[in-house]
Amino acid sequence: MDKLTFDITNTAGAIAPATVNDMQPEAAKALATVEEGTGAGNDYLGWVGLPSSITDEQLEAINMAAAQLQNHCEIVVTIGIGGSYLGAKAVIEALADTFAPYRGDGRTKVVFAGQNIGEDYLFELSRMLRDKKFGIIVISKSGTTTEPAIAFRILREQLEQQVGKEEASKRIVAVTDASHGALRTMADKEGYTSFEIPGNVGGRFSVLTPVGLLPIAVAGYDIKALVEGARRMEQATKAADYASNPALYYAAVRNALYRAGKKIEILVNFNPKLHYFGEWWKQLYGESEGKDGKGIFPAAVDFSTDLHSMGQWIQDGERTIFETVISVERPEHEMLIPTDDENLDGLNYIAGRAVDHVNKMAEIGTRIAHVDGGVPNLRITIPALQETYLGELIYFFEKACGISGYLLGVNPFNQPGVEDYKRNMFALLGKPGYEDQTAAIKAKI
Ligand code: PA5
């Protein structure tokens, strides 16, 4: 197997194959709505043809900016939140050597900021950077989001104090809208290298733009291979039949399950490197589908770790869940379980086996147990955690998300609910323009 595959064999108890087959015309219509741009939010469909439209020159420009940062910096702080953060974090975590920070592998380290408002987080980051050669990639499509703006103000000031304004401006790259927002104004005024986020690509669909590609390239990974994988999936998800379009199939099956009362989808991995892929996926589906009183609630777990915490609930709790497992066929490294003459731990029955063999048996055993316990199981398999397959996976989920949102009957490309907390926060902080709302909000405290 050398590509992503999708399997629904283990959903049979919850939805009859006929139910999914009967949905095919409806799913095909939702696919056409995405492909032809005829649905709600159609001004945000730039991501659909993105992989095939990225040029070698654009990738080269990103790689050159990455090389520039690598040459000047031991550490690059990537500042952004939501869609301006999670894609890069997911890919880097999936590919990175987990213990590289302790080994020193000569790569420029990419760390993240602006994805929270934790004072201690920022203090500790700032303290760590005090004696380091560092640079900044600041990412915000709107250019006005509070969390990254605070982190950028603090870290830019620190960088300017450490190396001077002129050198700092060479170590800062901005990724933002072509013409709007405070970050664009600042980048132009200060002469920062900058990249544009296409106006028709929303944050959570932007990992294959400089938003994701620049930090991934700085971390030392092959963005051409990532885009190549996404291109293959772009081609593979155009057809209107389940057999040749895995994204169409996935979108239809998860909606069939939702209609059958399965309101929560749990994305499962059996590889700790995929933890942040789960976070990226949660944002993609949560922000795209949770609206108008509808939407599958996206949750994620890391197995076998969470079998020892969430396993009980999944096996035995309310039967409103289904699982989508991302299975990685082969690990990058081999590690065998040694023989021990004393065998005090009783493990000699698996001596000589690869650790991954045990993991795979845990995966199969869990699948059987959960299906027996009434949890429908969808399975996505990729050959390995490599750029090209991660590119396939990213585009697969993006395409399925667009189709699925239209099947659900929502606009998958807006996020009106995100504004409510901001309004209240601004009123409480006394932001100019929000004064008349402050009294009403304070009365609710
Ligand atoms: O998907 C989205 O649109 C959001 O999650 C945004 O990416 C997030 O709110 C950050 O916005 P911005 O890039 O404008 O700072």
Side-chain angles (χ1 to χ4, degrees):
M1 205 262 299
D2 63 352
K3 60 178 181 157
L4 180 151
T5 59
F6 176 60
D7 175 20
I8 70 154
T9 319
N10 290 296
T11 57
I15 37 164
T19 309
V20 182
N21 287 339
D22 290 348
M23 279 177 71
Q24 179 136 350
E26 199 189 338
K29 200 168 149 217
L31 170 69
T33 309
V34 174
E35 293 281 349
E36 292 159 19
T38 50
N42 56 1
D43 40 351
Y44 284 99
L45 285 168
W47 57 272
V48 177
L50 195 61
S52 58
S53 64
I54 301 174
T55 63
D56 284 350
E57 290 71 33
Q58 286 169 325
L59 291 173
E60 208 38 55
I62 294 171
N63 276 328
M64 276 172 63
Q68 181 82 356
L69 283 168
Q70 286 167 332
N71 290 340
H72 285 88
C73 313
E74 304 160 72
I75 296 176
V76 170
V77 185
T78 295
I79 296 176
I81 194 166
S84 290
Y85 142 71
L86 282 162
K89 177 81 174 164
V91 172
I92 292 170
E93 292 281 317
L95 296 171
D97 176 336
T98 311
F99 298 99
Y102 308 101
R103 288 196 303 109
D105 63 353
R107 284 178 194 254
T108 301
K109 301 283 171 281
V110 174
V111 300
F112 292 86
Q115 81 282 34
N116 59 51
I117 326 177
E119 185 157 347
D120 290 339
Y121 184 95
L122 269 173
F123 177 87
E124 287 162 13
L125 174 61
S126 163
R127 181 173 58 189
M128 182 274 288
L129 293 170
R130 250 174 240 163
D131 58 348
K132 302 285 192 306
K133 281 173 68 181
F134 81 95
I136 297 172
I137 302 172
V138 54
I139 306 171
S140 177
K141 183 165 186 210
S142 62
T144 52
T145 308
T146 309
E147 292 90 337
I150 292 172
F152 185 48
R153 180 180 280 212
I154 290 172
L155 295 176
R156 181 176 50 117
E157 186 184 88
Q158 177 171 349
L159 184 59
E160 287 177 357
Q161 277 169 6
Q162 283 182 208
V163 300
K165 206 168 161 59
E166 197 183 329
E167 175 62 20
S169 70
K170 293 185 195 144
R171 296 197 202 168
I172 295 173
V173 179
V175 183
T176 188
D177 185 80
S179 55
H180 295 106
L183 184 56
R184 169 53 59 199
T185 310
M186 208 186 292
D188 291 347
K189 179 172 174 292
E190 301 293 340
Y192 302 145
T193 299
S194 70
F195 288 91
E196 291 171 13
I197 307 172
N200 59 0
V201 179
R204 57 190 173 276
F205 289 85
S206 69
V207 53
L208 297 171
T209 72
V211 169
L213 297 179
L214 180 61
I216 293 166
V218 171
Y221 301 108
D222 185 348
I223 56 171
K224 288 191 176 168
L226 188 79
V227 170
E228 199 45 56
R231 273 185 197 145
R232 280 199 307 278
M233 193 49 70
E234 184 186 329
Q235 293 312 316
T237 55
K238 288 179 189 290
D241 66 287
Y242 294 151
S244 43
N245 184 342
L248 183 76
Y249 206 10
Y250 172 56
V253 175
R254 65 194 295 282
N255 275 278
L257 287 163
Y258 180 65
R259 291 173 191 180
K262 305 295 180 188
K263 306 287 186 194
I264 301 166
E265 178 175 10
I266 305 177
L267 191 77
V268 176
N269 71 69
F270 280 82
N271 189 319
K273 287 171 182 275
L274 283 172
H275 175 81
Y276 273 95
F277 205 89
E279 297 301 302
W280 171 81
W281 174 88
K282 274 177 6 191
Q283 192 224 356
L284 181 64
Y285 281 81
E287 265 191 3
S288 299
E289 294 196 326
K291 52 196 72 156
D292 307 336
K294 299 188 242 187
I296 301 170
F297 183 83
V301 292
D302 305 320
F303 285 169
S304 68
T305 309
D306 292 335
L307 284 171
H308 298 259
S309 60
M310 294 300 290
Q312 173 61 36
W313 201 106
I314 294 170
Q315 185 69 46
D316 227 6
E318 194 180 45
R319 301 297 74 186
T320 47
I321 58 173
F322 65 99
E323 288 180 319
T324 298
V325 178
I326 302 178
S327 184
V328 182
E329 215 167 42
R330 53 174 193 274
E332 297 302 298
H333 308 285
E334 186 180 75
M335 176 70 89
L336 302 180
I337 298 166
T339 303
D340 185 310
D341 288 343
E342 289 197 79
N343 195 28
L344 294 177
D345 53 14
L347 280 184
N348 273 355
Y349 77 104
I350 45 173
R353 290 288 195 178
V355 172
D356 193 59
H357 171 77
V358 181
N359 202 26
K360 291 288 187 291
M361 295 308 110
E363 184 178 329
I364 296 170
T366 304
R367 179 164 70 237
I368 294 167
H370 288 182
V371 172
D372 285 349
V375 183
N377 183 288
L378 309 179
R379 187 157 178 256
I380 295 158
T381 307
I382 57 168
L385 283 187
Q386 292 168 4
E387 288 90 332
T388 188
Y389 304 122
L390 290 171
E392 285 189 356
L393 199 55
I394 286 167
Y395 192 87
F396 165 82
F397 278 127
E398 287 182 349
K399 190 65 169 279
C401 187
I403 302 168
S404 182
Y406 285 139
L407 274 171
L408 194 65
V410 299
N411 172 357
F413 307 114
N414 65 4
Q415 55 283 327
V418 180
E419 298 309 314
D420 291 8
Y421 96 89
K422 292 185 193 170
R423 242 189 336 266
N424 295 346
M425 178 178 75
F426 293 149
L428 290 168
L429 287 169
K431 184 171 177 175
Y434 290 82
E435 298 88 345
D436 56 342
Q437 297 172 44
T438 306
I441 297 298
K442 283 196 170 160
K444 292 187 182 177
I445 296 176

